[in-house]
């Protein structure tokens, strides 16, 4: 039984039905490109992955900090899915959308915050670091790489 059958002829209900049928529902403002994305920065002697509050909730992790001395290699992976390795651990894994959190490997663990369709900044770390690799979709991976490149040991440039 429909609502109009229960209360026929009530003017305010008719008006709302008419509005719902004939007007487009306004969409919320979209966030600016990269506004709600992780950032990779250098703070003193640490490389820090700054996460937005949404990313912290999805990854179930706070900002990630690793010492600059742990940096081994740096590159940009244009295919987001190639940046992922290992099995899913703590975090959020939405196929075709987002991979956020810790991924377990035989030789340790990776931190991944990868958005589908975006290039990924990959930071390979030495043994003893909290993670083996940081794989992060950032708004401008080339800028982040330029900031980190001087910190890569010269024997690792390739």
């Amino acid at each position: 039984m429909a609502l109009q059958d229960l209360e026929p002829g009530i003017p305010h209900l008719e008006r709302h039905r008419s509005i719902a049928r004939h007007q487009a529902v306004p969409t919320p403002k979209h966030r600016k490109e990269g506004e709600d994305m992780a950032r990779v920065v250098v703070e003193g002697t640490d490389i820090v992955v700054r996460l937005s509050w949404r990313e912290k909730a999805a990854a179930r992790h706070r900002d990630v900090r690793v010492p600059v001395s742990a940096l081994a290699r740096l590159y940009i992976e244009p295919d987001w899915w190639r940046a992922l390795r290992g099995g899913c651990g703590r975090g959020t894994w939405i196929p075709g959308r987002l991979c956020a959190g810790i991924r377990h490997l035989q030789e340790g663990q990776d931190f991944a915050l990868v958005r589908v369709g975006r290039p990924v900044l990959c930071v390979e770390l030495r043994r003893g670091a909290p993670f083996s690799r940081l794989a992060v979709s950032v708004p401008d991976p080339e800028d982040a790489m330029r900031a980190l490149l001087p910190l890569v040991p010269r024997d690792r440039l390739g």
Side-chain angles (χ1 to χ4, degrees), residues 2-10 12-14 17:
L3 183 61
Q4 64 267 22
D5 295 335
L6 292 174
E7 300 176 17
I10 298 175
H12 70 277
L13 288 178
E14 290 301 317
R17 278 191 214 104

Side-chain angles (χ1 to χ4, degrees), residues 24-157:
V25 178
T27 57
K29 289 183 179 179
H30 290 339
R31 292 182 299 272
K32 292 180 185 174
E33 182 70 22
E35 181 179 286
D36 201 20
M37 289 184 74
R39 305 267 193 265
V40 178
V41 296
V42 178
E43 288 183 358
T45 60
D46 288 338
I47 298 170
V48 181
V49 179
R50 292 248 173 253
L51 305 173
S52 70
W53 69 270
R54 283 184 177 97
E55 291 169 330
K56 287 177 184 176
R60 295 189 181 116
H61 206 284
R62 294 181 179 175
D63 290 344
V64 176
R65 255 179 206 279
V66 294
V68 169
S69 59
L71 182 60
R73 198 171 84 120
L74 188 64
Y75 62 97
I76 295 173
E77 179 56 64
D79 298 320
W80 64 270
W81 52 272
R82 289 183 186 216
L84 299 174
R85 60 185 189 174
C88 300
R90 188 178 70 218
T92 302
W93 316 102
I94 304 171
R97 296 277 321 258
L98 175 75
C99 297
I102 295 175
R103 298 188 64 90
H104 297 288
L105 309 163
Q106 206 168 14
E107 63 273 1
Q109 58 186 12
D110 287 355
F111 178 81
L113 193 108
V114 176
R115 294 173 186 259
V116 172
R118 305 219 33 142
V120 179
L121 177 68
C122 293
V123 181
E124 297 278 343
L125 302 169
R126 297 177 194 262
R127 281 204 170 104
F131 299 102
S132 301
R133 178 196 290 168
L134 306 176
V136 184
S137 293
V138 294
D140 191 353
E142 290 82 14
D143 270 356
M145 189 162 169
R146 274 192 293 276
L148 294 174
L149 206 53
L151 305 173
V152 177
R154 295 291 168 225
D155 62 331
R156 301 289 179 154
L157 291 176

